[in-house]
Amino acid sequence: MNTVGHSEATERRGLELTPFRGLRYDPDRVGSLAAVTSPPYDVVVRPDGLHHLQSADPHNIVRLILPQAATPTARNDQAADTLRRWLSEGVLLTDPEPGLYVYEQRDGSGMLQRGIIGALRVSDPAEQVVLPHEDVIPHVVADRAALMRATSANLEPLLLTYRGDGSAAAVVERTAERPPLLSTTTEDGFSHRLWSVTDPAEVTRIQADLAQHQALIADGHHRWATYRRLRAEHPSPSPWDYGLVLLVDTARYPLRVRAIHRLLHNLPVADALAALDGRFRVRHLQVPLAEALEALADAACASNAFLLAGDGTFHLVDRPDPDLLSRTVPADRPAAWRSLDATVLHATLLAHLWHIPEDSAAHVSYIHDTAATVEKAERDGGTAVLMHPVREDLVRHLARQGVTMPRKSTSFGPKPASGLVLRALDL
């Protein structure tokens, strides 16, 4: 009887966000707060991106989230040593009392996004509290888990979206009227501000709102899978029952949805196109990148469409042979999943026509920046596959059915900057 009762109670649980004592850089010990931040670990895309961030400041957060050493074990040990040293030297300081954190991002175009950073209870998939929409790559989860074990820390928040009833939003807006804990502008033009919410009544209002809702993973599927793996490894209750997240109410602050592109390292464009002969329509475009992307958007309204690049021009690929799709796309999923561009890319192009293993970093890179993908393909002699973004309502529709999209199908943003607040699990 107790087991049944526990199961029923679990099914009714919503988002459970808990205050924590954040680790933050001492601004007097670093060159600038902007210089120690980084995009999330998987969005360092420019050819010199890692070196650029490391050289921006000796305490840049990439030294923790992307440590560099000869072996995985050495990398993780190095990150743990670095974190301990920065704590002992006072480079990172622990906030005096637990709190939730209101986080704001703003750019020059008028885009404004605010959300709440906290430690979220790591739920089981059956609870339908946190909804993933993409598959994950097992070795990436293993890598992130080893880093978190070594450092005993959540080094950067993942991004979740929910649609609230306004109670939490009211606290967020009131908080944003106060002087912030920190304010900085990063080189991408985004300004960042952070506040703490420590008043018990305000924390309770936020928690009561969130407890009624589920969330969609917008960015950070591998980190969420890592949280779940580490929670299973530690007897409960423990700090590993929770993971660091940023929750954004998209009823108030809609996110941007962009595509994630593919760079195929060992496939020249000529070979990629030859394999498509008679199976897709291919049109060669002698136009700038912006115009080629417009043509891709138009074509994507009518059928699956992709833009190939890497040989100095663009090739619009669309109108796949229906018989080819029926033979190569799995038929045991909803129609909306079968018709996704990412589904056709992975099932038909990568697996069937190009014979490329999608889970091999030696063959495929996933890159958010469009121009960088084209540049790398041209420099390395590979093929860039540029994608058209998926609508957010379709992502949510599939996630609520428990249907995951192919890995790296979407890029929600803006993403939180890494390095503004960390969570140590041994406090």
Side-chain angles (χ1 to χ4, degrees):
M1 294 295 289
N2 289 339
T3 302
V4 174
H6 176 74
S7 175
E8 290 173 350
T10 299
E11 289 174 7
R12 290 195 298 269
R13 297 168 83 173
L15 297 163
E16 295 182 23
L17 198 65
T18 301
F20 69 103
R21 294 177 64 197
L23 295 182
R24 296 188 295 110
Y25 282 98
D26 180 349
D28 294 331
R29 298 296 306 273
V30 298
S32 73
L33 289 175
V36 295
T37 64
S38 163
Y41 77 95
D42 58 342
V43 190
V44 181
V45 297
R46 72 173 96 190
D48 67 337
L50 188 63
H51 173 74
H52 171 82
L53 291 166
Q54 286 179 326
S55 60
D57 189 283
H59 301 108
N60 189 283
I61 192 67
V62 293
R63 297 181 186 276
L64 298 182
I65 63 175
L66 287 173
Q68 299 299 296
T71 67
T73 299
R75 288 196 295 269
N76 296 328
D77 289 345
Q78 181 185 95
D81 291 341
T82 300
L83 179 58
R84 283 192 292 267
R85 186 174 72 253
W86 289 356
L87 287 167
S88 66
E89 295 174 351
V91 173
L92 286 169
L93 300 176
T94 306
D95 280 338
E97 56 183 319
L100 302 175
Y101 294 83
V102 170
Y103 174 51
E104 175 190 279
Q105 293 165 279
R106 190 190 297 262
D107 70 5
S109 70
M111 189 287 307
L112 172 65
Q113 178 176 292
R114 289 177 179 148
I116 304 165
I117 295 175
L120 184 72
R121 183 180 68 87
V122 180
S123 55
D124 293 319
E127 296 179 66
Q128 289 278 293
V129 173
V130 174
L131 303 175
H133 68 267
E134 290 182 357
D135 293 329
V136 296
I137 303 170
H139 74 80
V140 176
V141 175
D143 176 73
R144 291 291 101 186
L147 178 63
M148 285 190 205
R149 282 191 210 98
T151 58
S152 192
N154 299 152
L155 300 171
E156 47 185 344
L158 53 85
L159 176 60
L160 304 180
T161 74
Y162 74 105
R163 301 185 73 81
D165 66 5
S167 303
V171 177
V172 167
E173 300 309 308
R174 283 197 303 272
T175 302
E177 295 174 356
R178 306 197 314 248
L181 292 174
L182 65 85
S183 178
T184 190
T185 300
T186 46
E187 65 177 2
D188 57 6
F190 275 85
S191 66
H192 307 262
R193 296 198 295 170
L194 190 77
W195 298 260
S196 62
V197 179
T198 57
D199 179 81
E202 293 192 326
V203 169
T204 298
R205 288 189 191 98
I206 291 173
Q207 291 173 322
D209 184 0
L210 295 176
Q212 306 172 57
H213 300 290
Q214 60 184 185
L216 176 73
I217 300 177
D219 184 68
H221 282 83
H222 290 91
R223 279 166 283 167
W224 182 253
T226 300
Y227 291 167
R228 292 192 59 246
R229 173 180 290 195
L230 294 172
R231 186 203 62 175
E233 292 176 2
H234 295 81
S236 184
S238 83
W240 299 94
D241 292 343
Y242 296 84
L244 188 63
V245 305
L246 166 64
L247 276 157
V248 174
D249 183 352
T250 51
R252 189 172 185 88
Y253 296 109
L255 269 67
R256 298 169 177 170
V257 187
R258 295 191 171 114
I260 302 177
H261 310 297
R262 274 66 170 164
L263 175 62
L264 311 180
H265 298 287
N266 303 314
L267 181 67
V269 175
D271 293 348
L273 294 172
L276 305 183
D277 187 37
R279 297 177 172 94
F280 284 77
R281 180 175 71 167
V282 178
R283 289 174 283 169
H284 306 287
L285 308 177
Q286 292 286 349
V287 298
L289 174 59
E291 291 183 32
L293 291 173
E294 289 177 4
L296 173 63
D298 290 341
C301 294
S303 75
N304 298 114
F306 312 92
L307 199 62
L308 305 192
D311 60 352
T313 187
F314 297 102
H315 311 272
L316 183 60
V317 175
D318 65 352
R319 296 188 184 178
D321 173 26
D323 290 337
L324 173 66
L325 296 185
S326 66
R327 294 197 312 272
T328 56
V329 175
D332 59 347
R333 304 284 185 92
W337 181 90
R338 296 198 303 273
S339 62
L340 289 169
D341 289 338
T343 298
V344 173
L345 171 64
H346 285 252
T348 304
L349 291 171
L350 291 179
H352 185 75
L353 297 180
W354 292 335
H355 307 291
I356 293 175
E358 61 177 324
D359 58 351
S360 170
H363 291 88
V364 184
S365 290
Y366 298 87
I367 304 177
H368 297 73
D369 185 273
T370 308
T373 312
V374 175
E375 176 188 338
K376 289 184 179 184
E378 292 179 346
R379 186 182 66 240
D380 301 339
T383 294
V385 182
L386 306 184
M387 310 283 289
H388 184 66
V390 182
R391 302 187 322 274
E392 181 179 359
D393 61 337
L394 178 56
V395 176
R396 244 177 234 287
H397 172 69
L398 290 172
R400 283 174 173 156
Q401 297 179 64
V403 177
T404 54
M405 300 165 66
R407 60 193 58 161
K408 300 295 185 182
S409 293
T410 59
S411 174
F412 286 85
K415 304 178 191 306
S418 298
L420 296 180
V421 62
L422 292 64
R423 174 178 176 251
L425 279 78
D426 50 8
L427 287 178

